[in-house]
């Protein structure tokens, strides 16, 4: 939870490191569990750009987890752009930060198989 990003960026914020360490530990201890990383953006900007940015955010978290020893075969990622953003576009940058995130979700079986890498 709460792996957040600065506006218009897909680079991880320094405070994400302990959260990524914990996520890597959980994933490595899951006995081969499979996880989907879902990138999000806030509502500011156009839909196509936000979709691309959300994919880049998810990919940056995948790379950070792999760098921490997680097997790439346990991870898939996707971006959903601003589809689930809840903070209004006119809100402050600090308020919109809550929507600029990557979620890690446990996925198995047919749901996992249906996802593209």
């Amino acid at each position: 939870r709460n792996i957040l990003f600065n506006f218009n960026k897909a680079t991880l914020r320094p405070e994400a490191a302990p959260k990524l360490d914990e996520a890597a530990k959980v994933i490595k201890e899951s006995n081969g569990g499979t996880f989907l990383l879902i990138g999000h953006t806030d509502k500011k900007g156009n839909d196509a750009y936000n979709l691309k940015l959300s994919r880049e955010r998810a990919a940056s978290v995948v790379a950070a987890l792999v760098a921490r020893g997680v097997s790439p075969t346990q991870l898939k990622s996707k971006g959903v752009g601003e589809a689930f953003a809840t903070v209004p576009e006119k809100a402050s940058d600090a308020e919109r930060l809550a929507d600029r995130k990557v979620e890690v979700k446990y996925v198995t079986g047919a749901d996992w198989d249906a996802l593209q890498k």
Side-chain angles (χ1 to χ4, degrees):
R1 289 185 182 259
N2 298 320
I3 299 172
L4 305 175
F5 293 82
N6 289 330
F7 178 70
N8 202 28
K9 301 285 183 203
T11 50
L12 292 160
R13 293 164 53 107
E15 64 268 23
K19 295 170 188 169
L20 291 164
D21 292 342
E22 181 64 25
K25 181 179 180 232
V26 168
I27 293 168
K28 288 191 280 187
E29 291 174 353
S30 71
N31 294 324
T34 47
F35 297 82
L36 173 63
L37 287 83
I38 307 165
H40 298 266
T41 66
D42 62 26
K43 292 183 178 185
K44 202 165 187 111
N46 74 55
D47 292 351
Y49 178 80
N50 281 341
L51 183 59
K52 178 181 176 286
L53 181 58
S54 68
R55 289 176 178 154
E56 291 170 356
R57 288 176 175 168
S60 72
V61 174
V62 167
L65 291 172
V66 169
R68 285 167 169 78
V70 173
S71 171
T73 61
Q74 290 181 268
L75 305 172
K76 291 183 181 178
S77 65
K78 74 174 186 176
V80 295
E82 62 186 67
F84 299 98
T86 58
V87 179
E89 183 174 352
K90 301 283 187 205
S92 72
D93 183 63
E95 292 168 315
R96 290 190 328 275
L97 177 63
D99 284 335
R100 299 190 304 260
K101 63 190 175 192
V102 170
E103 284 180 86
V104 181
K105 185 176 178 183
Y106 182 66
V107 180
T108 61
D111 291 335
W112 175 256
D113 294 337
L115 293 167
Q116 293 183 346
K117 184 82 173 160

